[in-house]
Amino acid sequence: MPELPEVQTIINNLLKQKIANNKIIGVEFYKTKVLKNSTPKEFVSFLKGEKILDIERIGKYIIFKLSNKKQMVVHLRMEGKLFYESNLTKPDLRFLMLSIIFDNKHRLSYYDMRMFGTFHIYKDDKYLDSKEIKKVAIDPLNKLCTGKYLENKSKKINRAIKTVLLDQTVVSGIGNIYVDEILFRCKIHPLTKPKYLKSQQYDLIAKNAKLVLKDAIKHKGTTVASYKFDPNHTGGYQSRLLVHTKAGKPCPVCKTIIKKIKVNGRGTYFCSKCQKQVGK
């Protein structure tokens, strides 16, 4: 699933490709399941004639700011991909769900092999009051995401700290890969309950979350499965992973063999020596 660094990389790439300020002249639908609060006819009417002015992010949601105070909110879910392509490029019709057509002979195509992604449309910033956005917590790159914030949000939750950090209502955008990397750098066992962590450890989580996510954005996200930020480019952060996907290999710090377990159904990688579990 694209997480915060991948979503931010996609946004950066679309803006770099100069998607903004081109007029939308139509929409081609291949699978309409992606539309969640409009019919195809309403979606076309809403977008036609407008321009993308800017693209922002809330957690893992991509917010397309359109002309005339309109917004299109996209969530990529498990396998979604947004590619800004020339009309001369042959699309992969197996996974194409819709294409937004611009007047400069380009299109914004949404591909999704699992078809879980979502498109919502709003006007006058009403997306901020939508049930999807209202439940999304601040993300680690927000200056308000401090150790104290994480401690206050987490301390009374009786679940593993890894599960808590994956909860988008506690802190948004981190994702499975990055939680493993953050907890390893903090020397915190993924099964440790929040009540056993000290304030200094929450400070470490906040600090390392910012460092890891910024570094991942710098390297254009992590590709361990199918993530691409455009048709010809994958992420580069996978070469910098310390523990995630490294089961059976030596810890980069102490050489203990890295283990893989399941935490709430999620594959989880850690070093049993560097990350001692506190409490049960």
Side-chain angles (χ1 to χ4, degrees):
M1 175 186 292
E3 308 296 351
L4 187 156
E6 290 76 47
V7 171
Q8 189 61 55
T9 298
I10 289 165
I11 292 171
N12 294 346
N13 192 55
L14 290 174
L15 291 173
K16 183 179 178 181
Q17 292 178 302
K18 299 183 178 180
I19 193 173
N21 296 311
N22 300 298
K23 184 182 289 188
I24 297 169
I25 60 173
V27 182
E28 294 177 354
F29 295 98
Y30 298 85
K31 299 177 182 67
T32 58
K33 179 183 177 182
V34 72
L35 303 181
K36 297 303 177 184
N37 70 339
S38 66
T39 65
K41 183 177 180 180
E42 290 168 341
F43 190 80
V44 173
S45 177
F46 186 86
L47 264 63
K48 195 170 182 179
E50 307 298 352
K51 297 179 180 181
I52 295 173
L53 302 181
D54 199 3
I55 313 174
E56 300 176 356
R57 177 184 57 76
I58 296 179
K60 302 175 192 177
Y61 286 89
I62 300 174
I63 318 297
F64 289 87
K65 294 296 189 80
L66 308 176
S67 48
N68 290 309
K69 297 182 179 180
K70 295 180 179 181
Q71 301 87 37
M72 178 175 70
V73 179
V74 179
H75 198 299
L76 303 175
R77 300 298 173 186
M78 296 294 293
E79 295 281 351
K81 296 175 178 65
L82 283 169
F83 296 155
Y84 184 57
E85 304 173 315
S86 165
N87 289 345
L88 298 177
T89 303
K90 186 177 180 180
D92 186 347
L93 295 177
R94 296 173 302 165
F95 308 126
L96 182 59
M97 298 193 74
L98 66 81
S99 287
I100 297 170
I101 313 300
F102 297 93
D103 64 352
N104 66 341
K105 299 182 180 180
H106 280 69
R107 64 180 183 261
L108 177 64
S109 294
Y110 180 71
Y111 297 92
D112 193 340
M113 64 184 296
R114 296 200 184 187
M115 297 189 290
F116 290 159
T118 61
F119 277 62
H120 289 80
I121 53 175
Y122 300 96
K123 195 169 182 181
D124 300 323
D125 291 333
K126 289 181 180 175
Y127 72 98
L128 294 170
D129 294 320
S130 68
K131 63 179 182 180
E132 296 84 15
I133 297 297
K134 285 184 76 172
K135 66 184 180 182
V136 177
I138 62 174
D139 68 53
L141 300 185
N142 190 312
K143 64 181 181 180
L144 298 177
C145 188
T146 62
K148 191 64 177 176
Y149 168 85
L150 292 174
E151 185 173 7
N152 289 340
K153 294 284 285 188
S154 308
K155 203 71 174 178
K156 294 182 180 180
I157 302 176
N158 190 35
R159 292 182 288 168
I161 186 61
K162 172 163 184 178
T163 301
V164 172
L165 293 176
L166 287 173
D167 185 340
Q168 301 299 293
T169 67
V170 174
V171 59
S172 67
I174 298 179
N176 194 47
I177 294 170
Y178 301 109
V179 172
D180 285 353
E181 295 298 300
I182 292 162
L183 291 178
F184 175 72
R185 286 162 173 77
C186 296
K187 298 184 178 181
I188 296 172
H189 193 288
L191 288 175
T192 299
K193 299 287 182 67
K195 64 183 178 182
Y196 296 115
L197 297 178
K198 299 176 181 178
S199 294
Q200 299 94 315
Q201 290 175 295
Y202 283 106
D203 290 339
L204 271 178
I205 293 173
K207 176 183 176 181
N208 281 301
K210 295 179 192 299
L211 291 174
V212 167
L213 296 178
K214 286 181 179 179
D215 197 35
I217 293 170
K218 179 181 176 181
H219 289 86
K220 302 187 184 302
T222 303
T223 301
V224 294
S226 62
Y227 159 71
K228 292 181 178 181
F229 60 88
D230 71 33
N232 301 309
H233 293 90
T234 59
Y237 192 70
Q238 58 273 15
S239 65
R240 299 174 65 81
L241 296 174
L242 299 180
V243 290
H244 192 82
T245 71
K246 307 296 183 181
K249 296 181 179 180
C251 168
V253 174
C254 72
K255 307 307 177 186
T256 299
I257 298 301
I258 292 170
K259 294 182 177 180
K260 180 183 179 182
I261 60 174
K262 290 278 189 177
V263 178
N264 198 29
R266 309 300 295 275
T268 299
Y269 301 81
F270 71 102
C271 172
S272 59
K273 185 175 180 180
C274 291
Q275 297 168 266
K276 300 285 188 183
Q277 186 175 358
V278 179
K280 294 294 181 181

